[in-house]
Amino acid sequence: AQKITQTQPGMFVQEKEAVTLDCTYDTSDQSYGLFWYKQPSSGEMIFLIYQGSYDEQNATEGRYSLNFQKARKSANLVISASQLGDSAMYFCAMREGRAGGTSYGKLTFGQGTILTVHP
Amino acid sequence: EAQVTQNPRYLITVTGKKLTVTCSQNMNHEYMSWYRQDPGLGLRQIYYSMNVEVTDKGDVPEGYKVSRKEKRNFPLILESPSPNQTSLYFCASRFAGTPGLSGANVLTFGAGSRLTVL
């Protein structure tokens, strides 16, 4: 089974509107971390936001927030007030296990969602 | 400036010609890792290293070798490249210990190396 699933190959949003990018994950670990990265057309990987499995509050970073629903194993990225510069590929990723554990070094990415922001 | 540096950024080579992609970081990170990115597949982990002389396989290690003789360097070696190794490669690093207050130990990525094997 896929550990990280992003079911939206592409999404479109109007400038200034909010958009949600879906991410579901599969793990039996109690301790894990979820990340979102942005990859613009220039190719670099830019860290956006992190959610730990024990964090009680949803993570927020400026216009980015993570809608973390642990029971449903989903970690959707919400971008508010979209800007043209938000057009990019977005990746969800998961790191399982605790520091020092054998699986702690592995980071699994989803397939990515291409977001296009229209003016 | 804190960064991960990969070289070369672009390379076209032929089947069977050994090549090495270098990766160096200046942040004193214990953990380093290599990924390949292919359309529709996202990023897949090739190898990772939790510290000097400690390496482990990721999800797609076949056809690749790594070494970690120094903390700052983590080269990716393709002993006999094949066309199915044509891909965009990323090196990344982070601290390896218990996450701090941020809880993240976020990966810092290099700019990527685009490799074409003919």
Side-chain angles (χ1 to χ4, degrees):
Chain A
Q2 289 271 44
K3 290 212 167 191
I4 293 281
T5 302
Q6 295 179 253
T7 56
Q8 306 154 316
M11 288 285 286
F12 296 88
V13 66
Q14 207 70 29
E15 196 178 9
K16 298 191 179 79
E17 293 187 349
V19 63
T20 298
L21 306 184
D22 294 340
C23 173
T24 58
Y25 60 92
D26 182 25
T27 181
S28 55
D29 275 339
Q30 296 301 310
S31 179
Y32 52 90
L34 297 155
F35 301 78
W36 277 92
Y37 283 86
K38 172 184 178 181
Q39 186 180 42
S41 57
S42 51
E44 72 266 34
M45 296 289 288
I46 301 167
F47 166 72
L48 295 178
I49 197 166
Y50 165 81
Q51 180 85 41
S53 58
Y54 293 115
D55 294 341
E56 294 182 352
Q57 305 242 5
N58 285 346
T60 60
E61 291 284 351
R63 294 185 299 111
Y64 304 107
S65 60
L66 202 152
N67 183 2
F68 181 46
Q69 298 190 37
K70 198 168 180 176
R72 297 178 63 181
K73 294 188 175 178
S74 75
N76 298 340
L77 177 70
V78 180
I79 305 175
S80 63
S82 297
Q83 301 172 355
L84 295 178
D86 293 334
S87 293
M89 174 80 86
Y90 289 80
F91 290 101
C92 179
M94 176 174 66
R95 183 182 67 224
E96 296 172 276
R98 292 186 175 275
T102 55
S103 63
Y104 192 67
K106 288 196 160 191
L107 185 67
T108 305
F109 284 79
Q111 309 93 314
T113 296
I114 299 175
L115 176 66
T116 304
V117 181
H118 289 302
Chain B
E1 182 192 349
Q3 60 185 0
V4 178
T5 303
Q6 298 178 225
N7 280 297
R9 293 288 315 282
Y10 302 91
L11 180 64
I12 300 174
T13 189
V14 295
T15 299
K17 186 176 181 182
K18 180 179 178 180
L19 69 93
T20 299
V21 186
T22 63
C23 175
S24 180
Q25 51 92 7
N26 62 359
M27 295 166 281
N28 203 34
H29 286 164
E30 297 91 359
Y31 175 96
M32 297 185 76
S33 184
W34 277 102
Y35 299 85
R36 61 177 289 173
Q37 182 179 1
D38 302 289
L41 297 176
L43 278 78
R44 293 178 292 167
Q45 193 167 34
I46 303 171
Y47 271 96
Y48 64 95
S49 169
M50 298 295 284
N51 215 324
V52 176
E53 303 290 2
V54 180
T55 62
D56 211 342
K57 295 177 181 178
D59 295 316
V60 288
E62 297 79 20
Y64 304 95
K65 283 175 57 176
V66 293
S67 68
R68 188 91 182 273
K69 293 183 170 46
E70 304 165 285
K71 197 171 187 178
R72 64 184 293 125
N73 295 323
F74 191 45
L76 179 69
I77 303 155
L78 286 74
E79 293 270 3
S80 182
S82 62
N84 64 13
Q85 292 178 296
T86 292
S87 188
L88 176 61
Y89 291 86
F90 286 100
C91 181
S93 71
R94 62 168 168 82
F95 291 112
T98 302
L101 288 176
S102 70
N105 279 2
V106 175
L107 274 176
T108 299
F109 281 83
S113 297
R114 188 166 291 282
L115 171 65
T116 301
V117 183
L118 302 175

